């Protein structure tokens, strides 16, 4: 309600001042050198003496140009030639058609005072190809229709209009006031004492082979991560809106003749932020390798070359994406965050975007979202986006705007709050997932989920268990011989027969117990019908031979200590026994490995 009241007051103030304001001088320039119509006007605005001070003035737009206006900017020049941008709001004038704008002055304009104002307007799709269809070898001509006069609700004392074209090849143009022409420029005026809302058709038919590229649709997705990265992806539908190609396309002529397809587009340059990295450029087929990337000090320049040249009426579709470090665009104070990024970025020079959709994906848990835009945008309902490790979704800001040009490349600021403790959510989810996985595996391998029992499998498990016990007992029994060897060596050094007898008694007792346990396990293997029973039997035989050699070695040691056997003979016999024993142990080990 307050905004509506403010607008009404502005309209009334502007309408009240309209009768007292006049334009002493208007110098207008119409730039038609590209596929855009750029109109700039230098106005000398005066307030008639004896009236009231004016805080605002009106700008008017012809009814036919309303849907074509993409940008309007107004600046006022001060005493030191500094420029201040003025606030512009759309308004209405009773009894008049067309579009009107109320421009608020920095300070009220007193009666008898003057102010210099600079107006800049950009129009799209006002240059119409004529003829509408051309062959590959023909040049492109376009027609522009406008107004000889600066359309204004105020009386204008004097006005000049300068029209700049893309080439000197002009088919025809209107000749109001005997205009002068030099190369690619036509000068109209000066016109004197022009009444308000004056109109007279200005028409120029000339050659224009500049790229008539139009972004018919573009979706720009900005995904913000508090882990240090901002991912940007742009999906672009591009169309050549110039004269439609008539007849077949010859690539041979296109490559051989430099003037073949002169109005077509082979490539264009896209300017990316200086910090852009991991850049990709692809379409439905896959990666497009004909692009080139040039890293500059203040930007990254990417040459986009479609898979085929674009002629009039032809279209292409592609996706470009890159990553940015978040510290250059994301600011915070405690839990308060502000994202400052461009609403639309540079795609090509003199770009025109018919329809733009911007989606800003904020971190999960972002709240109290507020958007500050330098111009009016259409906010749609916020959405939710789900990606890896998300639980309740990431908020997505969706905004739309139509008819954009390069002047709309400005920053928007997204304010939101975010609790930093939520950054632990994803790591904890990963830890919890692994914990559940490992716990499930532990439970699974320890439980039997089979419905029926498999006798063969149970038998194999029993045999494996018995075999494991046999291996343990055999190794333990072989260890007894090593302990007895140590007792024999002590006996040879100390000549204490009690040491030898004690070691021999311990060997006999423990060896008998282990042999009986192995024999018991052997009978179990036989009961299970396993052929491993025979191998265990062979181990028992070989072990008996090993024991016999061990006991012989102890007898030889007794004879040596008693002086009944010479040392040389003992050494020779001990070496022979040791070799035989080693061979037997090797055979036992081989059988154990087979088990």
């Amino acid at each position: 309600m307050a905004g509506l009241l403010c607008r009404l007051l502005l309209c009334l103030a502007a309408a009240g001042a309209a009768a007292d304001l006049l334009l002493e001088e208007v110098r207008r320039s119409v730039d038609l050198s590209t596929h855009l119509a750029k109109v700039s006007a230098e106005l000398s605005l005066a307030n008639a003496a004896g009236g009231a001070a004016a805080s605002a003035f009106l700008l008017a737009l012809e009814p036919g140009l309303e849907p074509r206006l993409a940008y309007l900017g107004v600046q006022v020049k001060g005493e030191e030639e500094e420029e201040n941008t003025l606030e512009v709001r759309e308004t209405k004038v009773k009894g008049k058609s067309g579009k009107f704008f109320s421009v608020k002055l920095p300070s009220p304009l007193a009666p008898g005072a003057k102010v210099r104002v600079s107006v800049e307007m950009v129009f799209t799709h006002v240059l119409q190809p004529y003829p509408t269809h051309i062959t590959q070898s023909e040049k492109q001509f376009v027609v522009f229709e406008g107004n000889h006069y600066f359309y204004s609700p105020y009386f204008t004392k004097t006005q000049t209009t300068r029209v700049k074209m893309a080439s000197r090849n002009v088919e025809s143009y209107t000749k109001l006031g005997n205009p002068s022409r030099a190369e690619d420029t036509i000068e109209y005026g000066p016109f004197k004492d022009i009444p308000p809302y004056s109109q007279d058709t200005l028409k120029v038919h000339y050659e224009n082979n500049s790229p008539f590229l139009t972004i018919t649709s573009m979706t720009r997705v900005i995904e913000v991560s508090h882990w240090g990265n901002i991912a940007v992806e742009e999906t672009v539908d591009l169309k050549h809106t110039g004269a439609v190609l008539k007849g077949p396309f010859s690539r041979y002529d296109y490559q051989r003749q430099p003037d073949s397809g002169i109005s077509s587009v082979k490539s264009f340059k896209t300017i990316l932020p200086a910090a852009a990295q991991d850049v990709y450029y692809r379409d439905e087929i896959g990666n497009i390798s004909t692009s080139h990337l040039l890293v500059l000090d203040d930007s990254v320049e990417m040459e986009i070359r479609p898979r085929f040249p674009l002629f009039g009426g032809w279209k292409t579709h592609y996706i470009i994406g890159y990553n940015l470090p978040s510290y250059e665009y994301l600011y915070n104070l405690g839990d308060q965050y502000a994202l400052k990024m461009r609403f639309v970025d540079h795609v090509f020079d003199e770009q025109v975007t018919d329809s733009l959709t911007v989606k800003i994906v904020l971190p999960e848990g972002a709240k109290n979202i507020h958007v500050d835009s330098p111009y009016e945008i259409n906010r749609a309902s916020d959405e939710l986006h789900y990606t890896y490790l998300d639980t309740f979704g990431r908020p997505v800001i969706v905004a739309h705007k139509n008819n954009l040009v390069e002047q709309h490349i400005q920053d928007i600021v997204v304010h939101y709050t975010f609790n930093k403790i939520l950054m632990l959510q994803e790591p904890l989810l990963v830890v919890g997932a692994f914990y559940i996985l490992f716990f499930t595996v532990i439970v699974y391998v320890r439980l039997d989920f089979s419905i029926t029992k498999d006798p063969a499998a149970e038998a194999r498990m029993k045999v494996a268990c018995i075999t494991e016990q046999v291996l343990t007992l055999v190794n333990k029994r072989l260890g007894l011989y090593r302990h007895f060897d140590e007792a024999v060596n002590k006996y040879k050094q100390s000549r204490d027969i009690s040491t030898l007898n004690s070691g021999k008694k311990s060997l006999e007792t423990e060896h008998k117990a282990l042999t009986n346990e192995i024999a018991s396990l052997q009978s179990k293997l036989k009961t299970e019908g396993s052929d491993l029973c025979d191998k265990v039997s062979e181990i028992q035989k070989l072990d008996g031979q090993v024991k016999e050699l061990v006991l012989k070695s102890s007898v030889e040691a007794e004879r040596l200590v008693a002086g009944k056997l010479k040392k040389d003979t003992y050494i020779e016999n001990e070496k022979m026994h040791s070799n035989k024993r080693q061979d037997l142990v090797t055979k036992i080990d081989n059988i154990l490995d087979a088990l």
Side-chain angles (χ1 to χ4, degrees):
M1 185 67 183
L4 181 61
L5 181 61
C6 181
R7 178 174 293 186
L8 181 60
L9 291 175
L10 273 175
C11 295
L12 292 175
D20 299 327
L21 296 178
L22 60 88
L23 298 176
E24 289 194 341
E25 182 184 10
V26 176
R27 290 184 295 175
R28 185 175 62 150
S29 175
V30 182
D31 186 354
L32 306 177
S33 59
T34 64
H35 65 136
L36 299 172
K38 302 177 183 178
V39 179
S40 59
E42 297 289 336
L43 312 180
S44 178
L45 183 67
N47 192 0
S55 60
F57 69 96
L58 287 178
L59 284 177
L61 192 64
E62 295 97 320
L65 295 178
E66 289 180 24
R68 306 300 185 186
L69 179 65
Y71 173 77
L72 171 63
V74 184
Q75 294 179 329
V76 62
K77 292 187 177 181
E79 296 179 355
E80 298 180 359
E81 296 297 323
E82 74 276 6
E83 294 184 348
N84 298 319
T85 302
L86 301 182
E87 180 183 352
V88 180
R89 290 189 178 184
E90 186 176 348
T91 185
K92 292 183 179 180
V93 175
K94 188 176 180 180
K96 295 293 182 180
S97 61
K99 185 175 288 189
F100 292 85
F101 299 91
S102 175
V103 183
K104 186 178 180 181
L105 294 170
S107 59
L109 186 63
K114 301 179 183 179
V115 65
R116 294 169 58 195
V117 178
S118 175
V119 180
E120 180 184 7
M121 292 182 284
V122 180
F123 298 92
T124 60
H125 304 301
V126 293
L127 302 182
Q128 300 300 322
Y130 189 79
T132 57
H133 293 70
I134 59 174
T135 62
Q136 182 176 334
S137 59
E138 291 179 321
K139 297 178 180 179
Q140 178 175 265
F141 285 81
V142 298
V143 173
F144 170 77
E145 290 189 5
N147 189 359
H148 283 105
Y149 305 115
F150 178 74
Y151 190 72
S152 171
Y154 306 119
F155 180 83
T156 304
K157 286 187 175 181
T158 178
Q159 179 211 316
T160 59
T161 297
R162 181 174 182 268
V163 181
K164 178 177 175 54
M165 296 160 292
S167 68
R168 67 179 68 179
N169 189 2
V170 181
E171 290 287 308
S172 63
Y173 61 95
T174 54
K175 298 179 173 59
L176 178 68
N178 192 22
S180 62
R181 179 188 166 196
E183 299 293 333
D184 58 352
T185 304
I186 303 175
E187 297 277 355
Y188 288 93
F191 302 117
K192 302 290 185 179
D193 300 329
I194 305 168
Y197 304 109
S198 295
Q199 286 184 276
D200 190 85
T201 302
L202 165 67
K203 188 174 182 179
V204 183
H205 184 201
Y206 65 102
E207 179 185 344
N208 188 345
N209 294 308
S210 60
F212 272 57
L213 279 181
T214 299
I215 303 171
T216 57
S217 176
M218 177 176 173
T219 301
R220 176 173 164 89
V221 180
I222 302 171
E223 187 169 350
V224 181
S225 171
H226 281 191
W227 293 99
N229 186 70
I230 298 176
V232 181
E233 183 176 89
E234 297 175 348
T235 303
V236 180
D237 290 308
L238 204 61
K239 182 180 180 181
H240 192 303
T241 52
V244 178
L245 178 66
K246 179 175 63 177
F249 165 66
S250 172
R251 185 169 288 276
Y252 173 73
D253 292 339
Y254 189 75
Q255 294 179 344
R256 183 173 63 91
Q257 300 175 3
D259 58 345
S260 178
I262 191 172
S263 61
S264 65
V265 178
K266 296 180 182 179
S267 64
F268 54 89
K269 291 181 180 179
T270 293
I271 306 300
L272 305 180
Q277 54 188 357
D278 305 326
V279 182
Y280 58 88
Y281 167 49
R282 63 171 184 260
D283 57 10
E284 288 88 348
I285 300 175
N287 185 57
I288 304 175
S289 59
T290 53
S291 60
H292 300 283
L293 203 67
L294 178 62
V295 179
L296 305 176
D297 292 337
D298 57 348
S299 64
V300 175
E301 188 177 276
M302 185 176 187
E303 181 185 6
I304 301 292
R305 185 179 292 271
R307 296 183 184 273
F308 48 84
L310 295 179
F311 284 83
W314 290 18
K315 304 176 183 179
T316 187
H317 171 87
Y318 68 88
I319 299 173
I320 185 172
Y322 51 89
N323 292 321
L324 296 171
S326 61
Y327 68 86
E328 292 193 8
Y329 302 91
L330 188 62
Y331 309 90
N332 79 294
L333 179 61
D335 289 344
Q336 303 292 325
Y337 286 82
L339 174 70
K340 187 178 181 180
M341 289 194 69
R342 288 178 175 177
F343 185 75
V344 61
D345 215 334
H346 181 280
V347 181
F348 51 85
D349 293 339
E350 310 295 345
Q351 68 187 43
V352 176
T353 306
D354 287 344
S355 176
L356 172 66
T357 300
V358 176
K359 296 184 177 181
I360 303 177
V361 184
L362 298 178
E364 190 175 35
K367 298 179 180 179
N368 304 322
I369 302 170
H370 173 68
V371 179
D372 290 333
S373 175
Y375 40 79
E376 184 179 355
I377 59 175
N378 299 320
R379 282 281 303 273
S381 300
D382 291 351
E383 301 175 354
L384 288 178
H385 175 72
Y386 293 90
T387 184
Y388 305 107
L389 302 177
D390 287 341
T391 54
F392 47 87
R394 303 186 182 189
V396 182
I397 300 171
V398 182
H400 305 281
K401 189 169 179 61
N402 298 329
N403 203 14
L404 295 94
V405 290
E406 282 188 348
Q407 283 77 1
H408 290 102
I409 302 178
Q410 300 181 43
D411 292 331
I412 65 169
V413 182
V414 179
H415 301 272
Y416 62 93
T417 58
F418 179 80
N419 192 349
K420 294 181 180 179
I421 198 68
L422 291 177
M423 294 185 67
L424 298 176
Q425 175 179 319
E426 293 183 358
L428 291 177
L429 283 174
V430 174
V431 172
F434 277 108
Y435 178 83
I436 294 173
L437 174 64
F438 294 151
F439 182 77
T440 303
V441 172
I442 291 171
V443 172
Y444 178 78
V445 299
R446 280 166 171 74
L447 295 180
D448 184 9
F449 295 97
S450 59
I451 299 176
T452 59
K453 294 185 177 181
D454 186 359
E458 289 188 358
R460 287 194 297 270
M461 291 179 64
K462 285 184 179 180
V463 169
C465 183
I466 295 172
T467 304
E468 188 69 27
Q469 295 179 43
V470 170
L471 293 176
T472 302
L473 294 175
V474 170
N475 287 324
K476 189 174 181 180
R477 190 168 60 181
L478 291 175
L480 294 177
Y481 300 138
R482 290 191 292 272
H483 290 303
F484 185 67
D485 290 340
E486 293 176 0
V488 171
N489 290 333
K490 289 181 180 180
Y491 167 70
K492 287 190 294 185
Q493 294 175 1
S494 64
R495 297 177 179 271
D496 185 3
I497 191 63
S498 62
T499 302
L500 181 62
N501 291 335
S502 176
K504 187 182 296 185
K505 183 178 180 181
S506 177
L507 172 64
E508 291 288 351
T509 303
E510 295 183 19
H511 185 275
K512 183 178 180 180
L514 293 173
T515 302
N516 290 337
E517 289 186 36
I518 294 174
S520 175
L521 294 174
Q522 181 182 356
S523 63
K524 289 182 180 181
L525 288 174
K526 188 175 182 181
T527 303
E528 296 294 335
S530 174
D531 56 355
L532 298 179
C533 176
D534 297 335
K535 293 186 178 181
V536 175
S537 177
E538 186 177 354
I539 290 175
Q540 294 285 67
K541 293 178 182 179
L542 293 173
D543 180 75
Q545 297 177 26
V546 173
K547 181 182 179 184
E548 183 180 350
L549 290 173
V550 169
L551 294 176
K552 281 185 179 181
S553 295
S554 67
V555 172
E556 295 285 342
E558 287 186 59
R559 294 179 62 195
L560 175 66
V561 172
K564 297 180 180 179
L565 185 66
K566 293 183 179 180
K567 186 174 182 181
D568 293 340
T569 305
Y570 172 78
I571 293 174
E572 184 178 349
N573 292 341
E574 183 65 21
K575 184 177 180 181
M576 181 181 63
H577 293 159
S578 177
N579 290 336
K580 289 181 179 181
R581 178 177 163 184
Q582 185 62 39
D583 292 340
L584 293 172
V585 171
T586 302
K587 291 180 180 179
I588 293 174
D589 289 339
N590 292 335
I591 296 174
L592 292 176
D593 292 339
L595 291 177

